[in-house]
């Protein structure tokens, strides 16, 4: 064991007399699905929000989605950035009919918009609907809860803060 000693150097003998220990920690980002409250407690005489919704997690880390994202990647952007960039186009074009329902129709309207956006993005990229639904969910939630701050600039701090407060965490959802 003395040959492995690497600490407490003794200048007289020229040997080390103890072992040092180093711990190496590796982090693996993991997400656990949890229920989060959607809606609110209701005001005086109000009925409150719509209950709990199971939040999805790690939707894009399977082999098929990783391969599709790799194919989509360019020299300038990763595959997930390419997919994310399609959200607005799908929302404004293929899914424009569902926007009114998402604003007025509550959870069912938001779910219809989410599903439309997810299908549109999946059709354009080959990435699974489970993965693209992360982007559909955040877009539909933003339309339903954050229309005022997000309508002018979806990248504004107000829009992002509103989405973080009211919607799923898209990074947790994708797992990327």
């Amino acid at each position: 064991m003395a040959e492995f000693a690497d600490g407490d150097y003794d200048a007289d003998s020229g040997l080390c007399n103890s072992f040092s220990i180093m711990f190496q920690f590796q982090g693996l980002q993991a997400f656990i699905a949890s229920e989060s409250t959607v809606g609110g407690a209701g005001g005086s005489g109000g009925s409150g929000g719509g209950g709990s919704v199971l939040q999805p997690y790690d939707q894009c880390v399977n082999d098929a989605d990783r391969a599709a994202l790799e194919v989509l990647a360019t020299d300038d952007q990763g595959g997930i950035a390419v997919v994310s960039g399609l959200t607005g186009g799908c929302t404004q074009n293929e899914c424009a009919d569902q926007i009114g329902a998402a604003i007025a129709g509550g959870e069912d309207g938001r779910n219809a918009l989410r599903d439309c956006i997810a299908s549109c993005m999946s059709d354009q990229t080959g990435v699974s609907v489970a993965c693209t639904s992360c982007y559909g969910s955040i877009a539909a939630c933003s339309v339903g809860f954050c229309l005022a701050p997000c309508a002018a600039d979806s990248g504004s701090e107000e829009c992002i803060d509103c989405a973080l407060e009211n919607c799923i965490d898209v990074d947790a959802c994708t797992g990327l």
Side-chain angles (χ1 to χ4, degrees):
M1 297 267 305
E3 68 186 76
F4 297 112
D6 61 354
D8 291 330
Y9 179 75
D10 181 353
D12 294 333
S13 69
L15 300 174
C16 291
N17 297 312
S18 65
F19 298 98
S20 64
I21 298 175
M22 179 173 67
F23 292 95
Q24 180 178 7
F25 293 95
Q26 280 186 302
L28 173 64
Q29 190 174 23
F31 302 95
I32 299 172
S34 64
E35 290 187 21
S36 69
T37 303
V38 175
S44 175
S47 63
S52 296
V53 174
L54 191 62
Q55 296 294 330
Y57 64 98
D58 290 349
Q59 302 298 305
C60 305
V61 296
N62 60 68
D63 291 340
D65 282 338
R66 285 189 181 270
L69 291 169
E70 190 173 309
V71 168
L72 292 169
T74 67
D75 291 338
D76 298 329
Q77 291 185 315
I80 201 67
V82 173
V83 171
S84 177
L86 297 173
T87 306
C90 286
T91 304
Q92 294 172 356
N93 298 322
E94 286 83 353
C95 304
D97 294 344
Q98 281 82 16
I99 292 175
I103 295 169
E107 187 176 351
D108 289 340
R110 288 188 302 275
N111 289 342
L113 180 57
R114 176 203 62 210
D115 294 346
C116 181
I117 293 168
S119 293
C120 171
M121 294 172 76
S122 180
D123 290 347
Q124 291 182 39
T125 63
V127 176
S128 73
V129 171
C131 178
T132 59
S133 70
C134 295
Y135 295 96
S137 292
I138 195 81
C141 178
S142 295
V143 166
F145 292 105
C146 306
L147 189 60
C150 295
D153 182 4
S154 63
S156 71
E157 188 172 330
E158 294 83 12
C159 177
I160 292 167
D161 288 345
C162 180
L164 288 173
E165 184 177 321
N166 294 291
C167 305
I168 67 165
D169 178 349
V170 74
D171 293 330
C173 182
T174 63
L176 301 172

